[in-house]
Amino acid sequence: MTETIDALAGLVAGGGVVVLSGAGLSTESGIPDYRGPSGAARRHSPMTYQTFTRDPLARRRYWARSHLGWRMIARAAPNDGHRAVARLQDAGLVDGVITQNVDGLHTAAGSPQVVELHGRLDEVVCLDCGNRTSREELDRRLREANPGFDAVVGAVNPDGDVELADEQVAAFRTVDCTFCGTGMLKPDVVFFGETVPAPRVSHCFAMVGAARLLLVLGSSLTVMSGRRFVLRAAKLGIPVVIANQGPTRGDGYAALTVDAPLGRLLPALADRVCGAVSARVPAAGALPAAVAPATL
């Protein structure tokens, strides 16, 4: 681990870092990922936008499961990895964070300059009139509409969906938008099959283009939504470092890959490069021996 920290610190200490984070950063907060070690037992696929908007039964099933899952997401707290990222930002080494997560834990940990690529679970939007409300308000309304709903929760997914038998949701009642009266409510997150707003993507590309280093944390980079930023960095000759438990689809573009629990790795990195101990870090910005940036 010491040699790994040395190599990682040698890259991060030069500053100009943009972080791209994924579900693997939140697993130590009790939120499993889809594809990493904690997501291996996931039995159903994530809800797609097309299914949510076109199938009333699927939409009721989603809200019944998400109603329970939200309670678990709302209780989640930032872990040592989130706090370490905030420390790196406070030290001026990380310029910004692009997160694929919808749990809001980067912000809760004190990180400024966070772009939530896929939105946030704690906000709700009406697909008909565009009105936005808090998830707490929707939770209150769903509790009132379903006073006897006490289904037992199975496993929770990163999007707040849980494992729940179909018979347990048969009597669940959904609610509509209070502003327009009939509008379809949806968590203000990007579902699978839905497009991330173009201005948000452009802003993230600009962040990556201005970076000295792209640091990927806890993402398998399986879907293009996150992998495109690795591809852009590699195309521009910006070094990419990937820290994740297990292989990723971006490993071939990385100057350095690290397979380690982020809750241990990132605090050790922050201790090394922040404050007085930064004087012992290898030359700022220098690539460690035997590590060279990958090219397309």
Side-chain angles (χ1 to χ4, degrees), residues 43-232:
R43 292 200 304 267
H44 67 267
S45 300
M47 175 62 68
T48 67
Y49 180 80
Q50 292 75 18
T51 300
F52 183 87
T53 55
R54 297 172 186 172
D55 186 344
L57 293 180
R59 190 160 57 248
R60 179 178 66 180
R61 188 164 56 249
Y62 171 83
W63 274 121
R65 299 192 309 208
S66 184
H67 177 54
L68 296 175
W70 163 247
R71 302 174 191 175
M72 301 175 71
I73 297 292
R75 290 196 300 267
N79 61 53
D80 289 342
H82 295 108
R83 287 188 284 269
V85 171
R87 287 176 59 196
L88 292 170
Q89 286 183 275
D90 188 58
L93 299 174
V94 169
D95 292 339
V97 175
I98 302 167
T99 184
Q100 300 171 84
N101 299 337
V102 295
D103 50 38
L105 294 181
H106 274 298
T107 300
S111 280
Q113 306 301 325
V114 178
V115 178
E116 287 155 325
L117 188 65
H118 297 147
R120 290 179 62 118
L121 270 177
D122 61 0
E123 298 176 353
V124 179
V125 62
C126 174
L127 296 182
D128 292 336
C129 72
N131 187 57
R132 296 176 184 274
T133 55
S134 71
R135 186 63 182 262
E136 287 82 0
E137 171 64 16
L138 177 63
D139 182 68
R140 180 189 63 77
R141 294 180 60 210
L142 287 174
R143 287 175 184 266
E144 291 175 353
N146 298 276
F149 187 68
D150 56 356
V152 177
V153 175
V156 64
N157 288 332
D159 61 357
D161 198 4
V162 301
E163 306 287 355
L164 201 62
D166 288 345
E167 58 268 21
Q168 293 180 293
V169 304
F172 189 82
R173 295 179 56 196
T174 60
V175 296
D176 295 324
C177 175
T178 56
F179 189 79
C180 67
T182 58
M184 182 188 304
L185 297 178
K186 171 183 170 292
D188 194 15
V189 299
V190 177
F191 281 4
F192 282 77
E194 191 176 3
T195 302
V196 179
R200 195 180 301 167
V201 175
S202 296
H203 179 53
C204 291
F205 274 135
M207 290 173 63
V208 172
R212 191 190 61 83
L213 174 74
L214 178 63
L215 177 59
V216 180
L217 301 176
S219 176
S220 64
L221 301 172
T222 300
V223 296
M224 185 57 73
S225 181
R227 190 165 74 253
R228 57 185 157 186
F229 302 117
V230 170
L231 299 178
R232 175 63 64 88

